[in-house]
Amino acid sequence: MIGLLYAESLKGAAVEIEHADGTRRPLDSARWLRPAPGDEAILSRCLAPVLDIGCGPGRFTVELARREVPTLGIDITPYAVHLTRRAGGLVLCCDVFGPVVGSGHWATALLADGNIGIGGDPHALLRRVRELVRPGGQILTEVEPPGVASRVDRLRLRGLGLTGDWFTWARVSVTDFPSIARSAGFTEVDSWQADDRWFARLH
C-alpha cells in the first residue's frame, strides 16, 4: 500500500503523510521530479560508479547519466523505477537491504533527499551501505540542519480513500551525524551547506 500511494502521488494524486500523533501534511512528490536548488552540491562530488539508493523518479540517476557518470538507481517502487527508466536512467527495482548488483564495488553511494531515513535506523542503513561501496569509497547524503532534533517518526500514507501501513523514517541532524557515521565504521566525515540544504560525505 505504501508503494501504491507513493506511485499515485508521483502521478499527481493528493496523498498525505500521517504522523503517529494524528498530524498530517501533504506528500509533495512533485519536488522529486525536477532539479532543485542545492542538487549540484552533491552531484559534483559523485565519483563513478555511483549507486543512487532510493532513486525515486530518478532525477539524480538521470542527470549523472547525462554527464556520462556511470550510475545505477535502485528503488522499491515499480512506478518510480518506470519513470527513471523512461527518462533514460539505468535502474533496478530492489531493496538496499537485499541483494544489490555490484556490491562492494561502488565508488559512491548516494542517499539524497533525506534517504538517510530509509528503514528508520541510520546506524543499520550506513552499515549496510558500507558493504556496498568499495574500499575507499564514499557515501554522500543529505541531513537536517543544525538545531533540528534527530528522531525516528512513525508514519503512514493516506489518500484516494486508502490508508497505508505504518512505517518508520529517520531524520538525522548534521550535528549528530558524525557520531552515527563513526558507529557504522566510517572514520572521516565532512559536511557542507548549499541553498539552505545540508549534506555530508563519509568514507
Side-chain angles (χ1 to χ4, degrees), residues 46-108:
C46 288
L47 303 175
V50 178
L51 180 67
D52 185 5
I53 299 167
C55 67
R59 83 174 190 278
F60 286 103
T61 301
V62 172
E63 176 59 24
L64 287 166
R66 188 189 68 79
R67 300 180 186 197
E68 299 184 346
V69 178
T71 303
L72 174 69
I74 62 171
D75 202 279
I76 61 171
T77 303
Y79 185 68
V81 168
H82 163 74
L83 291 178
T84 302
R85 188 170 291 133
R86 187 175 69 181
L90 181 64
V91 62
L92 293 175
C93 191
C94 68
D95 187 337
V96 65
F97 290 104
V100 176
V101 65
S103 180
H105 296 283
W106 298 100
T108 302

Side-chain angles (χ1 to χ4, degrees), residues 128-150:
R128 170 57 178 149
V129 177
R130 189 167 183 263
E131 297 172 347
L132 300 177
V133 296
R134 68 193 186 194
Q138 64 174 356
I139 297 175
L140 298 175
T141 188
E142 187 167 355
V143 290
E144 299 292 335
V148 173
S150 299

Side-chain angles (χ1 to χ4, degrees), residues 9 13 15 20 22 25 52 57-58 102 104 137 154 172 182-183 199 201:
S9 73
V15 174
R25 56 186 171 88
D52 185 5
R154 190 165 177 257
V172 180
R182 285 193 292 270
S183 75
F199 305 94
R201 180 177 72 99

Side-chain angles (χ1 to χ4, degrees), residues 92-179:
L92 293 175
C93 191
C94 68
D95 187 337
V96 65
F97 290 104
V100 176
V101 65
S103 180
H105 296 283
W106 298 100
T108 302
L110 187 58
L111 288 165
D113 293 330
N115 281 342
I116 187 64
I118 290 173
D121 185 343
H123 299 85
L125 178 62
L126 290 178
R127 286 193 296 269
R128 170 57 178 149
V129 177
R130 189 167 183 263
E131 297 172 347
L132 300 177
V133 296
R134 68 193 186 194
Q138 64 174 356
I139 297 175
L140 298 175
T141 188
E142 187 167 355
V143 290
E144 299 292 335
V148 173
S150 299
R151 66 177 190 264
V152 177
D153 292 320
R154 190 165 177 257
L155 311 168
R156 64 182 177 183
L157 302 184
R158 300 179 69 103
L160 305 174
L162 303 171
T163 302
D165 297 328
W166 292 104
F167 64 95
T168 55
W169 194 269
R171 298 180 66 181
V172 180
S173 168
V174 66
T175 307
D176 300 326
F177 192 69
S179 62

